[in-house]
Amino acid sequence: MAFNICVNLYVKEVEKEVDFFRSIGFLEIERHKMENSDSVVIAPLSDGNAFLQIWDIEFIKKSHPKLRMINLHYYLQ
């Protein structure tokens, strides 16, 4: 049974994080415009089933306040 896994990363600077993951071999799979920022899906393999989705933390705080209370507790400043 095949399945996909996607881990959400909430960051201050999306492009810096994308650049970092590219530098260690990750590939950009998708890019979505989200108001004043982008959300980027990256993966170690183009045909794999594991992904990271990188979000601007300010966008998440503004647009999903309940998610902020639950999931962003562990965000490191």
Side-chain angles (χ1 to χ4, degrees):
M1 179 167 108
F3 63 93
N4 291 330
I5 184 168
C6 184
V7 175
N8 292 305
L9 299 177
Y10 307 109
V11 302
K12 289 183 180 179
E13 297 181 47
V14 171
E15 286 309 313
K16 280 179 89 172
E17 299 299 327
V18 171
D19 289 344
F20 166 76
F21 282 102
R22 279 191 192 131
S23 76
I24 61 170
F26 278 65
L27 306 168
E28 185 172 321
I29 306 299
E30 296 176 4
R31 182 176 287 260
H32 306 278
K33 197 70 170 162
M34 311 298 288
E35 293 182 9
N36 294 328
S37 67
D38 290 339
S39 173
V40 182
V41 178
I42 59 175
L45 302 169
S46 61
D47 60 349
N49 63 346
F51 307 92
L52 296 175
Q53 185 158 10
I54 302 174
W55 297 88
D56 182 306
I57 193 165
E58 295 306 320
F59 170 77
I60 297 298
K61 285 179 180 178
K62 185 174 118 182
S63 61
H64 301 289
K66 289 183 181 179
L67 177 69
R68 183 179 118 198
M69 292 173 60
I70 297 167
N71 291 333
L72 299 183
H73 175 72
Y74 298 104
Y75 173 75
L76 299 176
Q77 296 295 328

